[in-house]
Amino acid sequence: MAPKTYLPADEDAYSRRELVFPSLTAEQVERSLPYGEICHFKAGETIYERGTRDVQLMIVLSGSVLMVGPSPSGGGENIITIHQAGEFTGELDLFTQREALVSARAATDTKLLRIGRRRFREYVAAETDISDLIMRAAILRRLGLVQHKQVGALVLGPGRATNTLRLEQFFSRNGYPYLLKDTETDGDAELLAGTFNLTLAELPVVISGTCVYRNPDIAVLADALGISEEVNEGDVFDVAVVGAGPAGLAASVYAASEGLSTVVIEGNAPGGQAGTSSRIENYLGFPSGISGLELATRAQTQAQKFGARLLISRNVAGVDCSSHPFRLTLEGGKTLQARSVVVATGARYRKLNVSNYSRFEMDGLHYSATAIEARLCSGEEVIVVGGGNSAGQAAMYLSGYAKHVHILIRGAELASTMSDYLVQRIDSSMHITLHPQCEITELAGEEHLREVTWTNRSTGEKTTLPVANVFVMIGADPCTEWLDGCVQLDEKGFVVTGPHCGQVDSGRYRSSMAGIFAVGDVRSGSVKRVASGVGEGSVVVADIHQYLKELQEAVVPAG
């Protein structure tokens, strides 16, 4: 069995050198020769520079290649590794059009096999055993750069400040190496701030090389550091996927793998809300669980392996659906064109105003009550927050599994917000207790949620229970403002698809506008789960193929 492509969170990526820096066999090198061209470099000659886009795969035939990068903390150059004969250069930038994090130069007189970007995709598709080696090494090399903070950016600022955390989250979720210098606890950080003549009001800053970005906007930072890919405004894509959560990433993987030119536009980082989860333990195929970030990173890399382009930190501001191809306008004014659009922007779940809420999200805090969640609650007390029908239905369902269900509502009673039949069932159930005028004020637990405190707003009385599962049913707001009347929305703003908008024979995920599709949480009537989003994202590609076929037939009549 092939070794895993991932490691335990606490294991050093570089501890398995044979996986991170593998050497191709003579037979594998021989098979690689038809895909590239042989080139020669003298000792000390630069092969490519940090910041280069479209980095090519280099297989060392003889000699050696030195991989170097600047230290985020200053102090000169970091030597990452020296590639010997049989080894290959590159990390995740082989599959993207981001700027390279490291430079390559010949350590001795060196002969290389250089495989260009177009042939590289053919190469990894055809030579699957070599592809596995390259993919695994690319992931582990990037992980090593992140773990060891060998290259990347320096974040300088107060460690607990909101804007410092904002920058850290951006780098972390995008897999970009960075080093934090906390100006409140690190004496060197204060000296460094003085070196750059920085005032407290200017912090936090991001330092990359000699460039200083003062409390930067994320989109500006993504462009400046080459994290976002570049797209020419004249390019026309077969598919534009708006949103890179599970549904959007699945759509991009299947669209790109089936030969459709695909661009993915994401406002923050791949993974969506699922990407913030510390561990998803009920996702099919991962019995020991997987972090949302790891799942998103794998899906992103998989999409890029097949040629999908990813624009990061770019929200779509609007879409012109009056002409074809559709024209999408990005924040900042740039535009791109696509023959079809997949809306996968998800929904912003309304969250509780509790200080450490995000820490337990998807690890004790749930937005749906299905059989999977119910099994987690077997024999335990649980809390349902909300007074609508979804909360009532969840409470009734969970009462068949849990030891006891506590419903917390901010109002005085349920009758004004919940259907009468549900109110009566809740009132008559021995396994459900309603707590009016109450709200959660504390969540506690070391690794997982273990204790919840709520406060009665009328009396001030606090109640604390050992609760490991809370179901938040206070609604969700769809991210559909940018569609601006192009498609039919339901009364809550979710995209209506399939038979509900007249698309009886045209696919379940087609919207009321031909060529625009919706998948995942943003779709009216969808199940708000990672697995269902992935399923919808994969299935919608069949609808897209059918639409593009119809479009082509309309332009070029048969016969």
Side-chain angles (χ1 to χ4, degrees), residues 269-299:
Q273 292 191 15
T276 65
S277 173
S278 60
R279 185 151 299 273
I280 302 171
E281 296 195 49
N282 56 9
Y283 190 73
L284 185 67
F286 294 90
S288 60
I290 184 172
S291 74
L293 178 59
E294 186 179 1
L295 184 63
T297 300
R298 291 185 181 198

Side-chain angles (χ1 to χ4, degrees), residues 354-386:
V354 183
S355 60
N356 57 349
Y357 185 89
S358 61
R359 177 183 168 193
F360 300 109
E361 203 162 8
M362 298 187 72
D363 188 12
L365 298 175
H366 310 285
Y367 298 104
S368 61
T370 70
I372 295 174
E373 289 85 7
R375 284 195 293 271
L376 298 174
C377 306
S378 179
E380 299 182 358
E381 294 190 75
V382 302
I383 294 174
V384 174
V385 183

Side-chain angles (χ1 to χ4, degrees), residues 10 88 177 230 369 443 470 518:
D10 58 350
F88 53 85
E230 294 179 338
L443 300 169
V470 176

Side-chain angles (χ1 to χ4, degrees), residues 240-255:
V241 181
V242 185
L249 288 173
S252 65
V253 167
Y254 281 85

Side-chain angles (χ1 to χ4, degrees), residues 512-548:
S512 58
M513 170 62 67
I516 298 183
F517 306 82
V519 293
D521 289 2
V522 77
R523 189 177 68 83
S524 180
S526 66
V527 178
K528 314 307 190 223
R529 299 192 60 81
V530 173
S532 62
V534 170
E536 292 188 9
S538 60
V539 173
V540 72
V541 178
D543 291 350
I544 295 172
H545 277 299
Q546 181 61 31
Y547 167 74
L548 294 176

Side-chain angles (χ1 to χ4, degrees), residues 376-418:
L376 298 174
C377 306
S378 179
E380 299 182 358
E381 294 190 75
V382 302
I383 294 174
V384 174
V385 183
N389 278 359
S390 60
Q393 290 162 353
M396 290 303 305
Y397 179 69
L398 293 168
S399 67
Y401 296 84
K403 178 181 178 181
H404 200 83
V405 178
H406 299 271
I407 300 179
L408 306 186
I409 60 172
R410 293 171 60 88
E413 43 83 32
L414 289 172
S416 62
T417 57
M418 188 179 295

Side-chain angles (χ1 to χ4, degrees), residues 133-155:
L133 290 175
I134 294 173
M135 179 65 73
R136 178 173 53 208
I139 293 172
L140 291 175
R141 289 175 187 179
R142 173 56 64 94
L143 181 58
L145 294 178
V146 171
Q147 288 178 335
H148 291 266
K149 307 180 191 303
Q150 291 172 296
V151 296
L154 173 67
V155 178

